[in-house]
Amino acid sequence: MKKKKVGNFKVSVIFPSYNESENIVEAIGRVSKSLGRSLYEVIVVDDNSPDQTWKIVQNMQNPKYKVIRRMKERGLASAIARGVEEAKGNVVVWLDCDLGIPPEEIPRLIEKLKDYDVAIGSRYVKGGRETRPKWRAALSYMTNLFACWVLGFYVRDYTSGFAAVRKEVLDKIKLSKKGFGEYFVEFMYKCVKNNFSIAEVGYVYGSRKSGLSKSDGNLFILLRYGFQYGWKIIKLRTIGHV
């Protein structure tokens, strides 16, 4: 059976990366397979990984795959923002390349863009759930519950980090380049305030497939991120912008 194109879109898929040599080839391969004959590009924004993730992508020598090796700048939020700046598609998708988020879910998000401006993968709507350790999942759930309580239940997964977005939305709402995952809370809040329509698609979020997590194994780092998220949420509610 021939694979159909995923809507009338050209899709730019962004992978922020740091020391993902064990996952990057599989992640890109699974994106390519899931998008089939659709028009797409994969942009890997790598923070000069010591394990040479950037070089692995270069050596794949595929014109659909682009790697941006950042020598000085660092950070998840700024990496995704850089990928958006480089994207050529009229739909932009981003997700982690550690395979905790299944790339096979990308077409489901893109399909929603026929009727919505933004589609996000959500752990807290029908069909969504966590398979990470219960204590880790509980921290995420409490953070999102706090975000819903303060910012409104317009979105259930304010810290998703998995999105498909029409480019015209990103032309109006610029992603924050500061911090770790707080950028996504701010992005969702601004989408709501600008009356962009948002669809949440339930999916199963799991632990990374290979390599070391940047946060999951360190309670101190998790608590620090939690504080950063909480402070961002409060600032958005009280100031309206940051």
Side-chain angles (χ1 to χ4, degrees):
M1 182 184 296
K2 292 184 178 180
K3 295 180 179 178
K4 297 179 180 179
K5 292 184 178 181
V6 183
N8 297 314
F9 302 123
K10 178 178 179 180
V11 182
S12 298
V13 179
I14 299 168
F15 279 129
S17 72
Y18 184 76
N19 284 347
E20 293 291 354
S21 62
E22 297 180 64
N23 297 311
I24 194 64
V25 173
E26 181 178 348
I28 292 174
R30 286 169 62 178
V31 166
S32 297
K33 186 175 180 180
S34 68
L35 293 178
R37 295 174 58 247
S38 304
L39 296 174
Y40 70 92
E41 63 177 350
V42 177
I43 303 171
V44 178
V45 184
D46 185 80
D47 287 355
N48 194 29
S49 296
D51 71 357
Q52 298 190 325
T53 303
W54 51 271
K55 189 172 184 179
I56 292 171
V57 182
Q58 284 181 347
N59 290 341
M60 294 175 80
Q61 297 184 337
N62 188 314
K64 290 186 176 183
Y65 308 156
K66 178 179 181 179
V67 61
I68 300 169
R69 181 186 179 191
R70 304 198 304 172
M71 302 302 294
K72 296 181 180 179
E73 199 170 6
R74 296 287 185 273
L76 175 68
S78 63
I80 294 172
R82 175 66 185 278
V84 170
E85 292 170 0
E86 299 284 341
K88 305 299 183 185
N90 56 5
V91 164
V92 180
V93 177
W94 64 86
L95 69 162
D96 295 338
C97 54
D98 62 12
L99 299 173
I101 300 170
E104 291 76 17
E105 300 291 347
I106 292 173
R108 295 179 60 217
L109 269 61
I110 296 172
E111 185 69 20
K112 288 292 184 180
L113 296 185
K114 293 179 179 179
D115 301 304
Y116 294 86
D117 298 309
V118 178
I120 69 170
S122 178
R123 296 161 289 179
Y124 307 119
V125 297
K126 184 178 180 180
R129 63 186 175 90
E130 285 250 22
T131 63
R132 294 183 297 176
K134 290 183 178 180
W135 67 272
R136 180 65 182 89
L139 286 174
S140 293
Y141 178 76
M142 287 187 291
T143 300
N144 277 282
L145 189 61
F146 179 67
C148 289
W149 179 60
V150 175
L151 302 178
F153 286 85
Y154 310 102
V155 178
R156 296 304 177 97
D157 198 342
Y158 277 95
T159 63
S160 166
F162 178 28
V165 184
R166 288 180 174 272
K167 189 66 182 295
E168 56 262 34
V169 175
L170 293 164
D171 289 338
K172 185 170 183 177
I173 301 176
K174 301 299 182 183
L175 293 181
S176 172
K177 296 182 179 182
K178 298 179 181 179
F180 188 65
E182 316 93 277
Y183 82 92
F184 201 85
V185 180
E186 181 178 342
F187 178 63
M188 287 291 97
Y189 180 78
K190 289 183 176 179
C191 284
V192 171
K193 288 299 181 181
N194 283 274
N195 295 315
F196 287 118
S197 55
I198 303 170
E200 290 191 73
V201 179
Y203 81 102
V204 179
Y205 186 89
S207 299
R208 65 184 293 113
K209 184 170 182 180
S210 299
L212 296 174
S213 170
K214 282 73 175 177
S215 62
D216 281 359
N218 190 314
L219 182 59
F220 174 78
I221 292 177
L222 283 173
L223 292 175
R224 187 184 73 191
Y225 287 154
F227 175 81
Q228 290 172 187
Y229 288 143
W231 183 235
K232 171 72 78 172
I233 291 164
I234 292 170
K235 288 174 69 177
L236 286 169
R237 185 66 179 87
T238 56
I239 302 174
H241 61 86
V242 289

